[in-house]
Each structure stands twice: as structure tokens, then as C-alpha cells.
């Protein structure tokens, strides 16, 4: 399988290369040159298979000859063996047509583990082959940092430097990062906001003094392998609910458009999906784009669902590329204009194509709290604020009542105990497997919010690419 850039001017890569790459050289994102296609019989044959077996079948065409089937199965067994539930991503029924797909049984209690546990193993495998050292640099407002650190801790030939805004993430989120004590993990608390941290990371990716010596890479959802790993659970859930013989809808709490884009890929591969509901909180750029064609940025409002508090959804470019007929030149021009004006209008043909599959819904804080209480009172399920936004959208969007709706439950409620307690009166306990989080020692380096201080720290502690 070849991967091409959404902006049409970077070389095509194979799976091994695209896994280790970040942004394409032309500023675009890599996507598969074509979508593999599964017949109804292929999908019907997934019924009753384990998560790992479904994962191998769904991912093999994307992986191509970078891994043979036995190698891919071995990595999936290692990655998903670390999940605390035998089904990896179990389905829970809420009422006659509403279901939850629990994606939070991994080590750091958010769905990002599903992709990052596998990505850590892919990095290690490919770096050993290439005899290369990788330096992962990222900024986090919470969930990505802890999932990436857990996935990369102790792995050969890779260091991870994760920046977080000092004092501005929750205690659980900070401790999930700073109590990991392997020498290849470097936590940096910077004075400043998440946006300041993110801006420093972006600058470092463009700093030749750094990139000439170090092979730096990203683990945010612009990484193709992450999206690929998320396609699996759409197939897994649908086949348990009667797919491909009936259609299923999915409601996806959305920030960077990575998770819901994986659902789109599943549909393109042949999975019968009725609707993909893009659920947003009040930071609703995607809802405005899909319902009114208006993709323009404003300022971020902090909410109880912080992983969806975004201004720009990087993976939306992957959908735009398809809506432009996969024309890289047109996508590049569109993105260049957007980067200037922070405003983009989708024309009616693009909107019509998108609305054939996508529905969007914006959920305000009252409706989010209502959904948490409904899940608790009607189904005995304590759900987190992000999942509640998905559930509220599933209940309130205009949908065919005969079609089952699966809401993706993206975080464990104990990750956001204050918001859950405010809405339901119940304070969810941390699962036993992470229960000693508050007894472990923390280690992190505090730095001023200045690029040169961060650069100096990273270049002094990272290993050069040929080292
Ligand atoms: C990252 C995250 C999201 C948003 O997912 P995207 O792929 O960025 O759209 C939703 N909920 C939780 C809990 C997350 O950590």
C-alpha cells in the first residue's frame, strides 16, 4: 500500500515510512492511495472473532508487506493484551437502540490507548530494522501525552519529550505522565498555556538545527497508523450488532476529527454505516462546517470535555481532500488560503457529498449533564463528559429510529471525576489497576515558556538519529 499527501507535492511512502513520518514534506497529511475494499462475505466472516483477529484482518491491507500476518498478529496480541477487558472494546446496551462502545479499558483510561499501544510497538519494530533512533516531541493538554508515554516507555531506540502546561492539567492526567520513570521518558512542564507548548513543538519541527541532528516525530493523530488502528473497532462493533446485514450509526465525540475519520474509512472499505454523527461541544467549528459550510476559527472556550476543546481539526483536511475529488493541488490551495484567513467555506457540492454520511450535532453543557444523568438513571452506566456529548448527540440528532446507534465512549469516567460528580452526584473511583497513581513519585522538569530553554533541554538529552 502506498500513502500519498493531501497536498499532492510530497513523495509517496510505504507503510513503514508513513508510520515513522509526521506531516508530509508539503505540509499535507498522508492518506492511503486507495481504500482497500471488503465484501459483505468478508465482513460477515468477522462475526464472533476476537478483537485481535478482527484487527489483523482490517489492518493487513494497510500494512501491506511491511509486516507479515504472524508479525502483525503478534503486535496486536501484545498491544491489546494490556487492556483490562477480555473484549478489548466491549459493547454495552443502554436501551432498545442505543449502545456504548467502551474504548477506555487501556492503561491510561482513554481511547487513545487503542491506537498508541500499537503505534509504540510499530515504532520499535521499524526502528530496529532501520537502525535509527527516533525522538518523539509532543505537547499535550492531557490524554494524548499519557497514552503516548505509556506506549513508548522503555522501548528501544526512541525517546519521548512531552510538554504540558504547568498547573493546567488535572492531577490524574499529570500523574499518569510524571510517574512513568523509565529513562527514555522526559516530561517538561512549561510556564504557559497548551497553545504556547504546541507552538514551541511546531517551531521545533521546522528548526533545521534540531532536524539535521535528530530524527523527530509526532504521535498526534496526524499519524496515519493511529487512524488505521481505530478503523478496527467500527468493524468489530458493527459485526456484533448484525452488520453487514443491517446498517449501524455511530456517534463520535469529536475534537481533531481523527476518530470519526476512522469511521469514514471503515465505510469506504465497505462497512454498511447509516450515519456518522460528529458530536461537538460548544467549540463547534466542525458542526458549523458540516451543517452550514462555515469552517472558520474562533477562540476556544474551556469545557468539562477538554479533549474536544479545539479551534482547528487537523484531520478534517483528510476529508476535504476526498471532497475535492482527491485533487492535491486544490486541497493545497484551499489550506493555504485557510492558513491566511482562518476561514474556509465549503461549496454546495462538498456539503452534499459530506452530508450523505455525516450528521453533526453541537451539545451544550446542560445537555451533556442531562445525558450523564440519563445513562446513570436509565441504564446504570456512569459515563464521562466526552462520552456524554456523544450520547446526547445520538439521542437528539435527526436519525432513523430503526437503526441502532453506537456511541463511542472515549474516556473512563474516573478521568474526569469532578465533572461526573457535578452532573450525577457520583464520584467515580479509579480502577484498581491504576489505583496507586497517587502514591508513586513524580518526575518532571519545569522550564520557562521560552523556545530556547526547551530546545536546549531537548537537544542536550535526546539521542541523534544515527546514535
Ligand atoms: C482525543 C479525545 C477525543 C477527540 O478525538 P479526535 O480523534 O481528536 O476527534 C474525544 N474524547 C476523548 C476522551 C479524547 O481523549
Amino acid at each position: 500500500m502506498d500513502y500519498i499527501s493531501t497536498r499532492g507535492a510530497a513523495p509517496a511512502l510505504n507503510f513503514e515510512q508513513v508510520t515513522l513520518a509526521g506531516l508530509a514534506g508539503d505540509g499535507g497529511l498522508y492518506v492511503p492511495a486507495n481504500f482497500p475494499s471488503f465484501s459483505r462475505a468478508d465482513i460477515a466472516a468477522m462475526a464472533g472473532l476476537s478483537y485481535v483477529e478482527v484487527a489483523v484482518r482490517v489492518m493487513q491491507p494497510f500494512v501491506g508487506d511491511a509486516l507479515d500476518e504472524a508479525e502483525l498478529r503478534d503486535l496486536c496480541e501484545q498491544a491489546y493484551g494490556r487492556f483490562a477487558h477480555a473484549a478489548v472494546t466491549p459493547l454495552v446496551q443502554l436501551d432498545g437502540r442505543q449502545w456504548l462502545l467502551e474504548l477506555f479499558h487501556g492503561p491510561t483510561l482513554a481511547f487513545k490507548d487503542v491506537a498508541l499501544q500499537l503505534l509504540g510497538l510499530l515504532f520499535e519494530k521499524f526502528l530496529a530494522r532501520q537502525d535509527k533512533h527516533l525522538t518523539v516531541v509532543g505537547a499535550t493538554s492531557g490524554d494524548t501525552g499519557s497514552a503516548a508515554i505509556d506506549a513508548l516507555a522503555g522501548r528501544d531506540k526512541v525517546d519521548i519529550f512531552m510538554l504540558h502546561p504547568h498547573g493546567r492539567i488535572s492531577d490524574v492526567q499529570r500523574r499518569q505522565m510524571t510517574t512513568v520513570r523509565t529513562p527514555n521518558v522526559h516530561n517538561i512542564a512549561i510556564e504557559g498555556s497548551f497553545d504556547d507548548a504546541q507552538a514551541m513543538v511546531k517551531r521545533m519541527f521546522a528548526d533545521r538545527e534540531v532536524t539535521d541532528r535528530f530524527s523527530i516525530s509526532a504521535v498526534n493523530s496526524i499519524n496515519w497508523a493511529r487512524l488505521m488502528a481505530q478503523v478496527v473497532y467500527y468493524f468489530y462493533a458493527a459485526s456484533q450488532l448484525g452488520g453487514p446485514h443491517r446498517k449501524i450509526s455511530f456517534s463520535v465525540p469529536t475534537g481533531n476529527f481523527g476518530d470519526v475519520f476512522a469511521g469514514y474509512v471503515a465505510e469506504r472499505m465497505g462497512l454498511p454505516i447509516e450515519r456518522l454523527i460528529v458530536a461537538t461541544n460548544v467549540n463547534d467549528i466542525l458542526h458549523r462546517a458540516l451543517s452550514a459550510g462555515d469552517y472558520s476559527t474562533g477562540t476556544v472556550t474551556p469545557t468539562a470535555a477538554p479533549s474536544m476543546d479545539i479551534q482547528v481539526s487537523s484531520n478534517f483536511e483528510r476529508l476535504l481532500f476526498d471532497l475535492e475529488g482527491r485533487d492535491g493541488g486544490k486541497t493545497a490551495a484551499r489550506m493555504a488560503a485557510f492558513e491566511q484567513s482562518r476561514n474556509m467555506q465549503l461549496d454546495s457540492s462538498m456539503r452534499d457529498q459530506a452530508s450523505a454520511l455525516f450528521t453533526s450535532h453541537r451539545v451544550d453543557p446542560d445537555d451533556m449533564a442531562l445525558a450523564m444523568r440519563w445513562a446513570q438513571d436509565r441504564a446504570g452506566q456512569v459515563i464521562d463528559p466526552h462520552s456524554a456529548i456523544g450520547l446526547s448527540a445520538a439521542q437528539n440528532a435527526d436519525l432513523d429510529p430503526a437503526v441502532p446507534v453506537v456511541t463511542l465512549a472515549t474516556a473512563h469516567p474516573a478521568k474526569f471525576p469532578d465533572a461526573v460528580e457535578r452532573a450525577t452526584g457520583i464520584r467515580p473511583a479509579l480502577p484498581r489497576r491504576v489505583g496507586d497513581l497517587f502514591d508513586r513519585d513524580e518526575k518532571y522538569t519545569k522550564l520557562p515558556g521560552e523556545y530556547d530553554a526547551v530546545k536546549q533541554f531537548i537537544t542536550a538529552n535526546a539521542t541523534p538519529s544515527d546514535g
Side-chain angles (χ1 to χ4, degrees), residues 110-112 143 221 253-259 307-308 384 386 410-411:
F111 87 96
K112 293 188 169 70
D143 295 337
S221 60
T254 297
N256 243 332
F257 206 73
D259 207 4
S307 299
M308 299 163 66
D384 101 290
H386 304 80
T410 50

PDB file of all heavy atoms in Angstrom, residues 110-112 143 221 253-259 307-308 384 386 410-411, ligand 1:
ATOM      1  N   ALA A 110      -8.213   6.207  28.317  1.00  0.00           N
ATOM      2  CA  ALA A 110      -8.882   6.935  27.233  1.00  0.00           C
ATOM      3  C   ALA A 110      -8.689   6.155  25.929  1.00  0.00           C
ATOM      4  O   ALA A 110      -7.801   5.305  25.831  1.00  0.00           O
ATOM      5  CB  ALA A 110      -8.338   8.353  27.091  1.00  0.00           C
ATOM      6  N   PHE A 111      -9.517   6.455  24.931  1.00  0.00           N
ATOM      7  CA  PHE A 111      -9.485   5.645  23.698  1.00  0.00           C
ATOM      8  C   PHE A 111      -8.158   5.765  22.975  1.00  0.00           C
ATOM      9  O   PHE A 111      -7.837   4.935  22.119  1.00  0.00           O
ATOM     10  CB  PHE A 111     -10.648   6.049  22.772  1.00  0.00           C
ATOM     11  CG  PHE A 111     -10.354   7.182  21.843  1.00  0.00           C
ATOM     12  CD1 PHE A 111      -9.949   6.934  20.535  1.00  0.00           C
ATOM     13  CD2 PHE A 111     -10.472   8.497  22.247  1.00  0.00           C
ATOM     14  CE1 PHE A 111      -9.670   7.976  19.660  1.00  0.00           C
ATOM     15  CE2 PHE A 111     -10.195   9.543  21.389  1.00  0.00           C
ATOM     16  CZ  PHE A 111      -9.787   9.283  20.090  1.00  0.00           C
ATOM     17  N   LYS A 112      -7.367   6.776  23.296  1.00  0.00           N
ATOM     18  CA  LYS A 112      -6.111   6.955  22.575  1.00  0.00           C
ATOM     19  C   LYS A 112      -5.164   5.771  22.774  1.00  0.00           C
ATOM     20  O   LYS A 112      -4.294   5.520  21.947  1.00  0.00           O
ATOM     21  CB  LYS A 112      -5.478   8.272  22.968  1.00  0.00           C
ATOM     22  CG  LYS A 112      -6.342   9.435  22.479  1.00  0.00           C
ATOM     23  CD  LYS A 112      -5.715  10.780  22.662  1.00  0.00           C
ATOM     24  CE  LYS A 112      -6.492  11.852  21.920  1.00  0.00           C
ATOM     25  NZ  LYS A 112      -7.803  12.161  22.507  1.00  0.00           N
ATOM     26  N   ASP A 143      -4.850  13.800  27.509  1.00  0.00           N
ATOM     27  CA  ASP A 143      -4.951  12.371  27.181  1.00  0.00           C
ATOM     28  C   ASP A 143      -3.872  11.847  26.233  1.00  0.00           C
ATOM     29  O   ASP A 143      -3.380  10.735  26.408  1.00  0.00           O
ATOM     30  CB  ASP A 143      -6.326  12.079  26.570  1.00  0.00           C
ATOM     31  CG  ASP A 143      -7.447  12.317  27.566  1.00  0.00           C
ATOM     32  OD1 ASP A 143      -7.182  12.264  28.780  1.00  0.00           O
ATOM     33  OD2 ASP A 143      -8.585  12.549  27.122  1.00  0.00           O
ATOM     34  N   SER A 221      -2.680  12.792  16.157  1.00  0.00           N
ATOM     35  CA  SER A 221      -3.480  11.976  15.248  1.00  0.00           C
ATOM     36  C   SER A 221      -3.267  12.311  13.783  1.00  0.00           C
ATOM     37  O   SER A 221      -3.951  11.771  12.916  1.00  0.00           O
ATOM     38  CB  SER A 221      -4.961  12.029  15.617  1.00  0.00           C
ATOM     39  OG  SER A 221      -5.445  13.350  15.555  1.00  0.00           O
ATOM     40  N   PRO A 253     -17.703  11.508  19.809  1.00  0.00           N
ATOM     41  CA  PRO A 253     -17.255  12.759  20.442  1.00  0.00           C
ATOM     42  C   PRO A 253     -15.995  13.238  19.731  1.00  0.00           C
ATOM     43  O   PRO A 253     -14.992  12.527  19.719  1.00  0.00           O
ATOM     44  CB  PRO A 253     -16.931  12.349  21.887  1.00  0.00           C
ATOM     45  CG  PRO A 253     -17.528  10.988  22.075  1.00  0.00           C
ATOM     46  CD  PRO A 253     -17.606  10.356  20.724  1.00  0.00           C
ATOM     47  N   THR A 254     -16.041  14.403  19.132  1.00  0.00           N
ATOM     48  CA  THR A 254     -15.008  14.767  18.160  1.00  0.00           C
ATOM     49  C   THR A 254     -14.230  16.020  18.545  1.00  0.00           C
ATOM     50  O   THR A 254     -14.805  17.001  19.013  1.00  0.00           O
ATOM     51  CB  THR A 254     -15.668  14.947  16.773  1.00  0.00           C
ATOM     52  OG1 THR A 254     -16.225  13.693  16.368  1.00  0.00           O
ATOM     53  CG2 THR A 254     -14.662  15.375  15.727  1.00  0.00           C
ATOM     54  N   GLY A 255     -12.915  15.954  18.327  1.00  0.00           N
ATOM     55  CA  GLY A 255     -12.045  17.109  18.514  1.00  0.00           C
ATOM     56  C   GLY A 255     -11.256  17.332  17.239  1.00  0.00           C
ATOM     57  O   GLY A 255     -11.590  18.161  16.405  1.00  0.00           O
ATOM     58  N   ASN A 256     -10.209  16.521  17.078  1.00  0.00           N
ATOM     59  CA  ASN A 256      -9.336  16.664  15.924  1.00  0.00           C
ATOM     60  C   ASN A 256      -9.821  15.908  14.692  1.00  0.00           C
ATOM     61  O   ASN A 256      -9.110  15.822  13.704  1.00  0.00           O
ATOM     62  CB  ASN A 256      -7.937  16.174  16.303  1.00  0.00           C
ATOM     63  CG  ASN A 256      -6.935  17.286  16.213  1.00  0.00           C
ATOM     64  OD1 ASN A 256      -7.115  18.218  15.435  1.00  0.00           O
ATOM     65  ND2 ASN A 256      -5.883  17.196  16.993  1.00  0.00           N
ATOM     66  N   PHE A 257     -10.995  15.301  14.742  1.00  0.00           N
ATOM     67  CA  PHE A 257     -11.594  14.604  13.603  1.00  0.00           C
ATOM     68  C   PHE A 257     -10.856  13.311  13.255  1.00  0.00           C
ATOM     69  O   PHE A 257     -11.017  12.761  12.180  1.00  0.00           O
ATOM     70  CB  PHE A 257     -11.647  15.523  12.358  1.00  0.00           C
ATOM     71  CG  PHE A 257     -12.736  15.179  11.378  1.00  0.00           C
ATOM     72  CD1 PHE A 257     -14.059  15.457  11.667  1.00  0.00           C
ATOM     73  CD2 PHE A 257     -12.440  14.575  10.153  1.00  0.00           C
ATOM     74  CE1 PHE A 257     -15.065  15.145  10.747  1.00  0.00           C
ATOM     75  CE2 PHE A 257     -13.437  14.265   9.237  1.00  0.00           C
ATOM     76  CZ  PHE A 257     -14.751  14.548   9.532  1.00  0.00           C
ATOM     77  N   GLY A 258     -10.029  12.781  14.194  1.00  0.00           N
ATOM     78  CA  GLY A 258      -9.307  11.547  13.903  1.00  0.00           C
ATOM     79  C   GLY A 258     -10.206  10.330  14.052  1.00  0.00           C
ATOM     80  O   GLY A 258     -10.295   9.477  13.160  1.00  0.00           O
ATOM     81  N   ASP A 259     -10.884  10.243  15.199  1.00  0.00           N
ATOM     82  CA  ASP A 259     -11.682   9.067  15.499  1.00  0.00           C
ATOM     83  C   ASP A 259     -12.824   8.911  14.490  1.00  0.00           C
ATOM     84  O   ASP A 259     -13.069   7.821  13.959  1.00  0.00           O
ATOM     85  CB  ASP A 259     -12.234   9.228  16.928  1.00  0.00           C
ATOM     86  CG  ASP A 259     -12.490   7.898  17.598  1.00  0.00           C
ATOM     87  OD1 ASP A 259     -12.181   6.855  17.003  1.00  0.00           O
ATOM     88  OD2 ASP A 259     -13.000   7.917  18.734  1.00  0.00           O
ATOM     89  N   SER A 307     -10.747  17.404  25.965  1.00  0.00           N
ATOM     90  CA  SER A 307     -10.115  16.800  24.787  1.00  0.00           C
ATOM     91  C   SER A 307     -10.850  17.155  23.501  1.00  0.00           C
ATOM     92  O   SER A 307     -10.429  16.776  22.412  1.00  0.00           O
ATOM     93  CB  SER A 307     -10.031  15.286  24.944  1.00  0.00           C
ATOM     94  OG  SER A 307      -9.250  14.986  26.071  1.00  0.00           O
ATOM     95  N   MET A 308     -11.971  17.856  23.623  1.00  0.00           N
ATOM     96  CA  MET A 308     -12.695  18.307  22.434  1.00  0.00           C
ATOM     97  C   MET A 308     -12.650  19.829  22.311  1.00  0.00           C
ATOM     98  O   MET A 308     -13.334  20.392  21.451  1.00  0.00           O
ATOM     99  CB  MET A 308     -14.155  17.837  22.517  1.00  0.00           C
ATOM    100  CG  MET A 308     -14.249  16.329  22.579  1.00  0.00           C
ATOM    101  SD  MET A 308     -15.857  15.755  23.149  1.00  0.00           S
ATOM    102  CE  MET A 308     -16.903  16.288  21.799  1.00  0.00           C
ATOM    103  N   ASP A 384     -18.367   9.464  31.122  1.00  0.00           N
ATOM    104  CA  ASP A 384     -17.543  10.669  31.246  1.00  0.00           C
ATOM    105  C   ASP A 384     -18.128  11.794  30.382  1.00  0.00           C
ATOM    106  O   ASP A 384     -19.001  11.539  29.542  1.00  0.00           O
ATOM    107  CB  ASP A 384     -16.087  10.345  30.854  1.00  0.00           C
ATOM    108  CG  ASP A 384     -15.769  10.805  29.448  1.00  0.00           C
ATOM    109  OD1 ASP A 384     -16.295  10.190  28.492  1.00  0.00           O
ATOM    110  OD2 ASP A 384     -15.055  11.806  29.303  1.00  0.00           O
ATOM    111  N   HIS A 386     -17.014  13.474  27.774  1.00  0.00           N
ATOM    112  CA  HIS A 386     -16.863  13.335  26.322  1.00  0.00           C
ATOM    113  C   HIS A 386     -17.888  12.338  25.775  1.00  0.00           C
ATOM    114  O   HIS A 386     -18.574  12.601  24.783  1.00  0.00           O
ATOM    115  CB  HIS A 386     -15.445  12.870  25.976  1.00  0.00           C
ATOM    116  CG  HIS A 386     -14.373  13.758  26.508  1.00  0.00           C
ATOM    117  ND1 HIS A 386     -13.959  13.702  27.813  1.00  0.00           N
ATOM    118  CD2 HIS A 386     -13.642  14.742  25.917  1.00  0.00           C
ATOM    119  CE1 HIS A 386     -13.013  14.607  28.007  1.00  0.00           C
ATOM    120  NE2 HIS A 386     -12.810  15.257  26.875  1.00  0.00           N
ATOM    121  N   THR A 410     -15.268   7.492  24.984  1.00  0.00           N
ATOM    122  CA  THR A 410     -13.851   7.730  24.706  1.00  0.00           C
ATOM    123  C   THR A 410     -12.973   7.839  25.947  1.00  0.00           C
ATOM    124  O   THR A 410     -11.758   7.765  25.830  1.00  0.00           O
ATOM    125  CB  THR A 410     -13.684   9.000  23.843  1.00  0.00           C
ATOM    126  OG1 THR A 410     -14.432  10.060  24.436  1.00  0.00           O
ATOM    127  CG2 THR A 410     -14.185   8.769  22.435  1.00  0.00           C
ATOM    128  N   ALA A 411     -13.567   8.047  27.116  1.00  0.00           N
ATOM    129  CA  ALA A 411     -12.735   8.126  28.331  1.00  0.00           C
ATOM    130  C   ALA A 411     -13.451   7.450  29.491  1.00  0.00           C
ATOM    131  O   ALA A 411     -14.696   7.404  29.545  1.00  0.00           O
ATOM    132  CB  ALA A 411     -12.422   9.575  28.696  1.00  0.00           C
TER     133      ALA A 411
HETATM  134  C1  LIG B   1      -8.863  12.840  21.902  1.00  0.00           C
HETATM  135  C2  LIG B   1     -10.202  12.663  22.514  1.00  0.00           C
HETATM  136  C3  LIG B   1     -11.387  12.948  21.793  1.00  0.00           C
HETATM  137  C4  LIG B   1     -11.386  13.530  20.394  1.00  0.00           C
HETATM  138  O1  LIG B   1     -10.931  12.616  19.433  1.00  0.00           O
HETATM  139  P1  LIG B   1     -10.453  13.141  17.994  1.00  0.00           P
HETATM  140  O2  LIG B   1      -9.888  11.941  17.321  1.00  0.00           O
HETATM  141  O3  LIG B   1      -9.414  14.188  18.270  1.00  0.00           O
HETATM  142  O4  LIG B   1     -11.643  13.711  17.293  1.00  0.00           O
HETATM  143  C5  LIG B   1     -12.601  12.686  22.413  1.00  0.00           C
HETATM  144  N1  LIG B   1     -12.665  12.210  23.687  1.00  0.00           N
HETATM  145  C6  LIG B   1     -11.549  11.946  24.393  1.00  0.00           C
HETATM  146  C7  LIG B   1     -11.686  11.448  25.783  1.00  0.00           C
HETATM  147  C8  LIG B   1     -10.280  12.147  23.847  1.00  0.00           C
HETATM  148  O5  LIG B   1      -9.182  11.881  24.578  1.00  0.00           O
END
